Amino acid sequence: MNALISTALSGVVLMFVGLFVRNKQHIKFFAIAAIIIAFIANLVQYPSVELGSYVMFGMIEVSKFGILFNAVALGATLLYFLLSGSEFEKVGDHVADYFALIFFILSGITLASSFSNLLMLFLAIEIMSIPQYILAGSDKKNLKSNEAALKYFLMGSFSTGILLMGIALIYGAAGTFNITELGIGVENVHPLALCGIILLAFALAFKVSAVPFHFWTPDVYDGSPTVFTSFMATVVKAGGFIAFLRMFHVSFAGGAISQHWTLILSIITALTLVVGNFTAVFQQSVKRMLAYSSIAQAGFMLFAVIAMNQLAAQGIVLYAAAYSVATIGVFAVLLRLKDYTFEGFNGLARKEPFLALAVTIFLFSLAGIPVTAGFFAKYFVLAAAIQHGHLLWLVILAVLCAAISVYYYFRVIIAMYFKQGNPEVEPVSGGFKAALILAIIIVLALGIFPNLLIGCL
């Protein structure tokens, strides 16, 4: 609750800061201070849930899981501001508005981690989505950015309609919006409830870019300003998965109905893993490869939704942290390059050895190489699926797809270390290098001591 209030207020304040503060760097520092305050305010609430969660006004549940995920989302956003905040001014003149929109997205994410009512779920998804439509089209002089915003808005509007239809059908079956009181499908499967759950799953699958609802993702991520793609592909995606997991684990985890949606989500997961990884192999742009990579990573995070156990909750939090930090780090370096193709990385290790080392560690984590956070993130979600049972075939498929992902991640590493070139790299400040070191420390620390994070659950 503290995180929700602090992020919403920060967004409002930043809107007015833009009217009075002309120095864009000062706006960035103000945003960094605001995100630190929100991070601290969120953690201050942690002792209140030591003995258990509690519900406020029948709408929002304050729990350890929600507070821990909010800490991950806010911490990743702080790192994002430190690494890429100075790039906002290259997009346009409305820097304060861009920061304000990101804070509004964060308020939606914090609501997604704590809703206990279907109406709050709808509000969370919309608060997360609408500012993204604006950010996607913020580079008004770029036709690809305009196309990305229009495509995202139209597809997002359709998915919102599907979400509302699903909520209406579930309400018709259960007679309540409270997710803890739905009680559907425990003994028999109500047709209205099953249709509602399927529509809800499809709408949320669109938000997290799971196959076959992923068609918007490559074009939107590629057309949006790169600095905003970094945030959309990481923290926002993780927020969508938290809403997904909370909805299905709290409301539809038991009874006969879980067998139906588990089968549907298993098929979606398999398609997401295969399509995301195989399509990423053929990309020539690193930015577009990362877009398809985010689809593939969504396939792994879907394991946490299907598994329905404690390992799944631990896995999704660790995965959100590992994936967000590594991807934000890769995008931060990508922003410093003029050429986003694989050839644009040729010889980077000779010209900027530290940047090449940082990218290598982040890509290792995304590929799930041991001693990085990505390894334990994948381990926990796959272990959760094995513990759940009946999903061994899907786990084997995921391991094979993880092996395929090594190919396209290592293409970047090979280009940096083993190919000749003279990449155009913008000057890198000491502050940027310090933030990259912090990201590297997080990736390696969670890769060696994952209990630093999941031990809090």
Side-chain angles (χ1 to χ4, degrees), residues 181-442:
E181 298 174 2
L182 295 180
I184 51 180
V186 175
E187 296 179 359
N188 52 25
V189 180
H190 196 294
L192 276 182
L194 182 58
C195 292
I197 291 169
I198 292 172
L199 290 178
L200 209 62
F202 287 173
L204 291 173
F206 170 88
K207 297 300 180 183
V208 300
S209 61
V211 177
F213 311 98
H214 70 293
F215 293 105
W216 61 274
T217 309
D219 291 337
V220 171
Y221 284 8
D222 192 34
S224 301
T226 305
V227 66
F228 298 138
T229 302
S230 173
F231 185 72
M232 291 160 59
T234 53
V235 179
V236 177
K237 182 184 286 285
F241 270 105
I242 291 302
F244 213 144
L245 182 141
R246 179 163 175 77
M247 184 71 241
F248 281 77
H249 281 209
V250 173
S251 302
F252 313 131
I257 204 156
S258 65
Q259 300 174 5
H260 295 274
W261 67 259
T262 299
L263 175 61
I264 293 170
L265 285 187
S266 297
I267 295 170
I268 290 175
T269 302
L271 290 173
T272 304
L273 288 166
V274 172
V275 172
N277 281 290
F278 277 93
T279 315
V281 168
F282 300 101
Q283 301 308 307
Q284 298 305 314
S285 164
V286 173
K287 184 180 179 181
R288 203 167 178 87
M289 178 273 285
L290 289 172
Y292 281 104
S293 161
S294 76
I295 295 171
Q297 300 287 351
F300 280 95
M301 286 189 267
L302 278 170
F303 276 100
V305 180
I306 300 171
M308 295 181 295
N309 51 42
Q310 180 64 17
L311 273 178
Q314 293 175 335
I316 194 66
V317 171
L318 184 59
Y319 212 114
Y323 169 68
S324 296
V325 172
T327 307
I328 287 170
V330 174
F331 269 106
V333 175
L334 189 66
L335 280 164
R336 267 55 186 185
L337 301 177
K338 300 293 184 183
D339 185 358
Y340 288 173
T341 64
F342 284 91
E343 288 72 22
F345 282 81
N346 287 353
L348 183 63
R350 295 179 181 83
K351 190 167 186 178
E352 291 285 352
F354 175 70
L355 294 186
L357 175 64
V359 170
T360 300
I361 293 172
F362 297 144
L363 292 176
F364 276 178
S365 182
L366 291 173
I369 303 299
V371 194
T372 62
F375 172 76
F376 272 114
K378 285 183 169 62
Y379 168 79
F380 271 95
V381 294
L382 295 181
I386 292 172
Q387 189 180 89
H388 175 270
H390 311 296
L391 294 173
L392 185 60
W393 66 274
L394 197 56
V395 173
I396 294 171
L397 177 64
V399 172
L400 294 174
C401 288
I404 294 170
S405 73
V406 171
Y407 169 77
Y408 55 81
Y409 288 134
F410 273 52
R411 280 182 67 190
V412 181
I413 298 172
I414 290 169
M416 291 189 298
Y417 284 94
F418 300 105
K419 292 190 177 180
Q420 299 294 327
N422 186 29
E424 295 183 58
V425 186
E426 293 181 7
V428 178
S429 65
F432 179 80
K433 289 184 177 180
L436 268 186
I437 291 172
L438 175 62
I440 291 170
I441 291 172
I442 293 171

Side-chain angles (χ1 to χ4, degrees), residues 47-53 64:
S48 68
V49 294
E50 285 287 356
L51 300 178
S53 60
K64 280 186 180 181

Side-chain angles (χ1 to χ4, degrees), residues 26-144:
H26 290 173
I27 295 173
K28 172 192 168 183
F29 295 141
F30 189 93
I32 290 173
I35 199 71
I36 291 173
I37 291 170
F39 183 81
I40 295 171
N42 175 66
L43 291 182
V44 163
Q45 207 167 11
Y46 188 81
S48 68
V49 294
E50 285 287 356
L51 300 178
S53 60
Y54 58 93
V55 179
M56 303 182 68
F57 313 111
M59 295 287 184
I60 296 174
E61 181 182 13
V62 182
S63 63
K64 280 186 180 181
F65 178 78
I67 291 174
L68 184 60
F69 174 76
N70 291 341
V72 169
L74 294 170
T77 306
L78 172 60
L79 183 65
Y80 167 69
F81 284 170
L82 293 172
L83 285 170
S84 306
S86 58
E87 300 292 318
F88 283 24
E89 60 189 82
K90 296 180 181 178
V91 178
D93 296 327
H94 308 287
V95 174
D97 294 335
Y98 302 150
F99 280 111
L101 288 169
I102 286 175
F103 274 103
F104 289 139
I105 292 172
L106 285 173
S107 65
I109 291 172
T110 57
L111 186 57
S113 69
S114 57
F115 70 90
S116 61
N117 187 289
L118 289 172
L119 297 179
M120 289 294 105
L121 168 64
F122 168 70
L123 287 177
I125 295 298
E126 287 306 288
I127 294 171
M128 286 167 56
S129 300
I130 293 173
Q132 288 184 78
Y133 306 151
I134 302 170
L135 291 175
S138 54
D139 189 1
K140 297 177 182 178
K141 297 179 182 179
N142 187 338
L143 289 178
K144 289 181 69 176

